[in-house]
Amino acid sequence: MSTRRKFLQASVMSSAVALAGKQVLAHAVTPFHPVINNPIVVSTWDFGRAANAAAWEILGKGGRALDAVEAGVRVPEADPTNQSIGYGGLPDRDGRVTLDACIMDEYYNCGSVMALEHIIHAISVARLVMEKTPHIVLAGDGALQFALANGFKKENLLTPESEKAWKAWLKEAKYEPEINIENRLYDKAKDPMPGGPDNHDTIGMVAMDASGNLSGACTTSGMAYKIHGRVGDSPIIGAGLYVDNEIGAVTSTGVGEEVIRIVGSHLVVELMRQGHSPEAACKEAVQRIIKRSPEKSKRIQVGFLALNKKGQYGAYALQKGFTYAVKSGKEEKVHASKSMYR
Ligand code: ASP
């Protein structure tokens, strides 16, 4: 063996030993892609536009996608007028606001909180679970204790508006998730379903930074008037969010139970791996939901939003009305997603 080769081998080994640690081992699993890309961020619903603007403050300056998605989704989390996320979210049937959130980076690192109460920025607690614990998910009181121990402030998340809506709901107390659109296919009289008029929406955000690395975040107060303790797809890695830095990043919104059944966001990533475009992959996942429950699918909303490694994005939903916001160096826009019905 040449002296030069021996030297190279020795220096590679010594730097591997010197750098041995969680992050470096993770690098070894998913190689860093040192390409210079055009950063881009996409997020669910019209309120994604304001969230994207906050994410862009970081992405536009060459910052990391992980920091961008966290900063982005904190915007609707703190907005009391948004009744489906964070502060001001509609409560469960017992009047308690419980939040679900998760975050995932380019190294398969991920963190999640489920049924977290009293903390506005559930996404930042999820990030701390990812970065400061050996675990991925903390739930309920344990998640709250962890947040408080890490300096988060305990607050009342139930705004007077959401309390009023809950009290009005209590009069009939019917659980019926409502599609957030006028859905002409859904004939309530003929086919009532367990669930209730809106509101359920989620902010799911996925981004690629200037280094070509992907990350995602997803946060919600879940289905309004749910049974206390119910957890939807949003904080479940693979269901409400998935990031594979070699392929793409995907998030979802809508009736979480249907997304969990097909492990929706992971499915969309895998379909992109097989060569589908982001939109085609999202459509295929929507079709999977319809195949399982064709009748129910007409009465509920589910939407997927995907971004691939080339910076191409696409979405697909069960029902018309799903929108998503895009921000890049070239574009700032809210798009209407294509849908299966109408
Ligand atoms: N996916 C959320 C949940 O099931 C709600 C939504 O996005 O509409 O909790």
Side-chain angles (χ1 to χ4, degrees):
M1 192 185 288
S2 76
T3 317
R4 180 175 151 73
R5 198 184 297 167
K6 272 189 212 151
F7 168 76
L8 284 175
Q9 274 188 357
S11 58
V12 166
M13 278 175 67
S14 61
S15 37
V17 170
L19 294 174
K22 188 177 173 186
Q23 208 66 342
V24 174
L25 289 175
H27 284 220
V29 176
T30 307
F32 179 77
H33 296 267
V35 281
I36 300 301
N37 281 291
N38 294 319
I40 181 167
V41 56
V42 298
S43 58
T44 53
W45 303 110
D46 302 29
F47 49 68
R49 186 192 279 263
N52 286 357
W56 192 255
E57 288 288 309
I58 292 168
L59 284 180
K61 292 178 188 141
R64 190 176 170 204
L66 180 71
D67 296 325
V69 294
E70 182 191 5
V73 304
R74 283 172 61 99
V75 172
E77 277 186 340
D79 178 358
T81 66
N82 187 322
Q83 290 186 299
S84 56
I85 300 163
Y87 177 50
L90 289 168
D92 63 21
R93 68 183 189 183
D94 299 340
R96 295 163 74 161
V97 182
T98 64
L99 306 182
D100 294 337
C102 74
I103 193 159
M104 189 163 185
D105 75 5
E106 68 269 41
Y107 305 118
Y108 297 109
N109 293 318
C110 41
S112 160
V113 287
M114 301 182 178
L116 172 67
E117 293 182 75
H118 305 300
I119 306 289
I120 291 181
H121 291 300
I123 198 66
S124 298
V125 184
R127 182 166 177 176
L128 272 193
V129 173
M130 172 174 98
E131 291 180 339
K132 290 208 166 169
T133 80
H135 308 305
I136 290 179
V137 183
L138 290 182
D141 194 48
L144 175 61
Q145 294 315 319
F146 172 77
L148 297 176
N150 281 283
F152 286 82
K153 211 170 124 212
K154 190 168 182 176
E155 307 198 58
N156 174 20
L157 304 187
L158 187 64
T159 55
E161 293 72 22
S162 290
E163 188 172 9
K164 196 171 153 208
W166 168 61
K167 286 192 170 148
W169 173 83
L170 276 177
K171 287 181 192 145
E172 284 201 35
K174 272 199 206 143
Y175 178 68
E176 256 179 52
E178 185 183 85
I179 298 164
N180 34 22
I181 54 155
E182 173 209 356
N183 176 7
R184 298 199 180 111
L185 283 172
Y186 173 22
D187 181 349
K188 252 187 189 172
K190 226 168 106 189
D191 194 9
M193 75 170 288
D198 221 7
N199 239 317
H200 60 86
D201 285 344
T202 292
I203 184 143
M205 173 181 279
V206 289
M208 182 166 67
D209 60 31
S211 302
N213 286 319
L214 297 163
S215 286
C218 188
T219 178
T220 188
S221 51
M223 309 295 286
Y225 320 130
K226 59 196 173 188
I227 295 173
H228 180 65
R230 178 265 186 191
V231 170
D233 59 320
S234 307
I236 298 181
I237 298 294
L241 178 74
Y242 198 68
V243 178
D244 184 319
N245 202 41
E246 289 180 359
I247 305 297
V250 178
T251 191
S252 65
T253 182
V255 175
E257 282 75 2
E258 301 312 309
V259 178
I260 294 170
R261 277 185 229 288
I262 63 159
V263 198
S265 291
H266 184 262
L267 172 63
V268 175
V269 167
E270 290 307 306
L271 289 164
M272 291 198 290
R273 192 192 305 279
Q274 289 165 22
H276 286 62
S277 70
E279 182 184 303
C282 292
K283 184 175 181 183
E284 180 73 29
V286 165
Q287 277 168 330
R288 192 79 63 94
I289 291 173
I290 295 173
K291 198 172 167 198
R292 179 196 171 260
S293 26
E295 280 314 305
K296 190 174 176 190
S297 293
K298 293 177 188 164
R299 312 190 304 264
I300 61 166
Q301 178 63 300
V302 170
F304 292 103
L305 174 60
L307 175 67
N308 72 13
K309 194 68 185 168
K310 294 180 199 151
Q312 299 163 328
Y313 58 82
Y316 216 87
L318 274 172
Q319 314 292 339
K320 189 177 172 191
F322 174 43
T323 57
Y324 61 97
V326 178
K327 173 82 184 110
S328 69
K330 292 185 226 142
E331 180 183 3
E332 182 174 359
K333 202 174 165 191
V334 174
H335 293 267
S337 167
K338 288 187 190 163
S339 59
M340 203 55 80
Y341 299 122
R342 302 187 330 121

